[in-house]
Structures are given as C-alpha cells and as structure tokens.
Amino acid sequence: MSAEPTTLESRVGHVFRDRSLLERALTHPSLLPVLHGAESNQRLEFLGDAVLQLLLSEALYAEFPGEREGVLSRRRATLANGTTLALLARELGLDRALRLGPSEESSGGRQRTSALGDAFEALLGAVYLDAGLEAARAVARAAYGPLPARLATLGDDKTPKSRLQELIQPRHGNEALAYSVLAAEGEDHRRTFEVSVSLLGREIGRGRGSSKKAAEEAAAEAALRTLGA
C-alpha cells in the first residue's frame, strides 16, 4: 500500500491494526475488474451506514435534550445525506485516497458525490470492525466537529418561524400565518409575552418568552409540533 493511507490515518485519527480494512474501504467497485478476487467497499458501506445512523442518533439525542423526534430525525437526515458525507470525505482527503478503475477515474469518479459518501461510510464501517464502536464514535465526532456548528454550515440553523413559514407557504400562501400577542406581563425590564400563531384564523400554537420575538418563536415551535413537522 502507498504512503497515502498513513497520511489518511493521521487525518482520520485512527491507525488500523488490520490495514486491509482500510484498503477495502477505499476500493471502489470499478477497480474489481483490474484486481481480480479483491473486494470493494460496498459491504463496509452497508455496515458503516448502520453505525453512522446509531452514532448520529446518539449524539443528537445528547446534544439537543428536549428536542422532539421530528426535528432530531430531520437533523440526522441532514447530517447523513450524500452531499454532507461527500463533504466530510473531501475534508478527510478520501477523494485523493480512493482506489478507482480506469474508466471511473477518467469520468470524474474521484469527485462523484455517491462514491465519496459511500467511501466515508465504508471507512466508518472499517474502523468499527477494526477497533469497535468507541473508535468509530471518536472518528465520527472528529469528522463532524460540534454538531450545532456543522448543522449551521449545512443550512439547518433555521428558526422555528422560518421553518413554519416554509411548511405553510407552498399550500396556503405568504399571508396564511398570523401572530398575535395575547398577554404582556411584568415590569418593563422583566416582561413576559404570550403569543399565539394562527393558520387561516385557526390557532395552531402558543408560546411564551421574554420578548415578543422569543414568544413568536416559541409559538411557531408549538405549531410545528401540532402539525407533526
């Protein structure tokens, strides 16, 4: 094996006891006609996908206590989609380390989103087989970095109000939602607002906050729960 995987191991943060696992994780199916009897990364990708889903679920559950299932599922989907995995693969240098067949190489396969996403999952599966779940967790955590920051770079930092508007607008138009202040209590410097949000005149959520804006966001969050979004 070339010197590149050693460099790759340092970027990944895991030194393989069984180096053949790393080699297999980097082997695209297009190389098999050239390497007779070799195994591609497809089986490792299958395993790595399951490992990644568990690790992301675990991390999101801990990072966002009290967040509902629908939001956690949406964030996990954002973190595990092909575009995100390809981005992580490039950050680790998997694009340079991939082992491709001549036709795949010449057709731009080294930058293909699907190939890079599969390689990232295969790498995680290889780490899991080589050293167990804790090692895979460490590699995934290092690759993603802090999840709130990663989600923000992926455009998943939208406020509840914007998410609610995006949900409602295609079907009902821009003016379908209305926010109303129901109460404003307390002294000026310690006021608490209660706000309701209505869809076409029907209340779908209420929220409280230390400002009108915060109360509107809380109401929108309640509305998203009501709508199952």
Side-chain angles (χ1 to χ4, degrees), residues 126-147:
V127 172
Y128 172 77
L129 288 181
D130 191 62
L133 188 62
E134 186 57 40
R137 182 183 291 112
V139 167
R141 184 181 295 131
Y144 279 96
L147 291 188

Side-chain angles (χ1 to χ4, degrees), residues 28 41 98 100 104 109-120:
H28 189 269
N41 62 9
L98 268 178
L100 303 170
E104 186 70 14
R110 195 168 294 280
Q111 293 303 320
R112 209 180 306 281
T113 296
S114 59
L116 292 172
D118 289 351
F120 181 84

Side-chain angles (χ1 to χ4, degrees), residues 10-76:
S10 66
R11 289 195 298 266
V12 170
H14 177 76
V15 178
F16 280 83
R17 292 177 291 188
D18 181 355
R19 296 292 297 281
S20 69
L21 285 169
L22 176 58
E23 183 172 345
R24 197 185 317 157
L26 299 173
T27 303
H28 189 269
S30 64
L31 193 61
L32 297 192
V34 179
L35 297 178
H36 301 289
E39 185 177 348
S40 77
N41 62 9
Q42 289 178 311
R43 282 168 51 85
L44 282 175
E45 181 267 328
F46 167 78
L47 176 62
D49 174 65
V51 171
L52 180 62
Q53 291 295 315
L54 171 61
L55 294 177
L56 288 176
S57 299
E58 173 190 72
L60 288 165
Y61 184 87
E63 186 70 46
F64 301 101
E67 193 63 273
R68 66 189 190 284
E69 178 188 0
V71 174
L72 295 176
S73 295
R74 177 173 58 79
R75 288 175 174 167
R76 183 179 62 191

